[in-house]
Amino acid sequence: MSHMGGDHQMGGAGHMGKMGEREKGMPPQLTKFHDTLAPRWHAAQGPQRMADTCAALPEFHRDAEAIAAAEAPKQGDAVAWSMGGKKLTEAVVALGATCRSKDAEAFETAFARVHETFHGLMEATGGHEEHGKGEHDGDGDDDDDHDDDHDEHH
């Protein structure tokens, strides 16, 4: 997996092994989106994370559109897949708007929506059953403790 700087910022080798095992069952379009999302999502919140994520918008757009255009995986929920692809594309468009406005708070909210929508698609493929309930609940203001429990999921 290629990531920014060659190193996934959270979890180390064991962490990557877990995601690598899970990626085997993931549609290639989700794997590609994950490879763009993960290093940016796990980066420390702040101006650099926003700049790096906004710089990757063309990749996010291309990957989200590929997911939306792809057939639902055989083992998955076709309706959830179709709706999820549309929602992911919309979430990426909204993220782009926050990048253009340079609104850091709105960016974090929009980026969380992209992340949560991606996880919904993983669930639609039947490949994300260990996703912790409550991991994304709350007001989106979970900057310090979020990465600790999220580390298991990428």
Side-chain angles (χ1 to χ4, degrees), residues 1-16:
M1 289 174 35
S2 67
H3 288 89
M4 265 182 357
D7 185 24
H8 193 275
Q9 299 212 6
M10 297 294 298
H15 175 78
M16 291 306 292

Side-chain angles (χ1 to χ4, degrees), residues 27 72-81 121-127:
K74 288 182 176 91
Q75 77 278 18
D77 178 335
V79 173
W81 175 265
L121 278 162
M122 284 183 69
E123 290 167 8
T125 68

Side-chain angles (χ1 to χ4, degrees), residues 4-64:
M4 265 182 357
D7 185 24
H8 193 275
Q9 299 212 6
M10 297 294 298
H15 175 78
M16 291 306 292
K18 283 183 187 179
M19 189 61 218
E21 289 170 22
R22 210 172 305 135
E23 281 180 342
K24 289 178 189 170
M26 251 198 304
Q29 298 88 349
L30 277 186
T31 301
K32 194 163 176 5
F33 193 90
H34 174 266
D35 289 350
T36 303
L37 176 66
R40 292 160 182 90
W41 178 255
H42 288 292
Q45 287 187 9
Q48 190 62 52
R49 170 169 134 145
M50 184 174 176
D52 291 343
T53 302
C54 292
L57 272 172
E59 291 172 74
F60 280 114
H61 279 289
R62 184 175 51 248
D63 297 347

Side-chain angles (χ1 to χ4, degrees), residues 10 43-45 49 140-150:
M10 297 294 298
Q45 287 187 9
R49 170 169 134 145
D141 188 23
D142 52 358
D143 56 318
D144 290 327
D145 59 350
H146 182 77
D147 288 336
D148 293 339
D149 65 348
H150 190 96

Side-chain angles (χ1 to χ4, degrees), residues 63-133:
D63 297 347
E65 288 168 6
I67 290 167
E71 250 183 69
K74 288 182 176 91
Q75 77 278 18
D77 178 335
V79 173
W81 175 265
S82 177
M83 290 177 59
K86 184 177 187 281
K87 286 180 180 178
L88 185 62
T89 301
E90 291 168 355
V92 169
V93 168
L95 179 65
T98 67
C99 288
R100 288 187 297 280
S101 73
K102 302 192 185 319
D103 181 340
E105 189 174 327
F107 164 81
E108 289 299 337
T109 301
F111 195 29
R113 181 174 162 222
V114 168
H115 179 252
E116 290 166 13
T117 306
F118 168 77
H119 278 285
L121 278 162
M122 284 183 69
E123 290 167 8
T125 68
H128 202 236
E129 60 279 339
E130 69 185 53
H131 189 240
K133 177 71 179 133

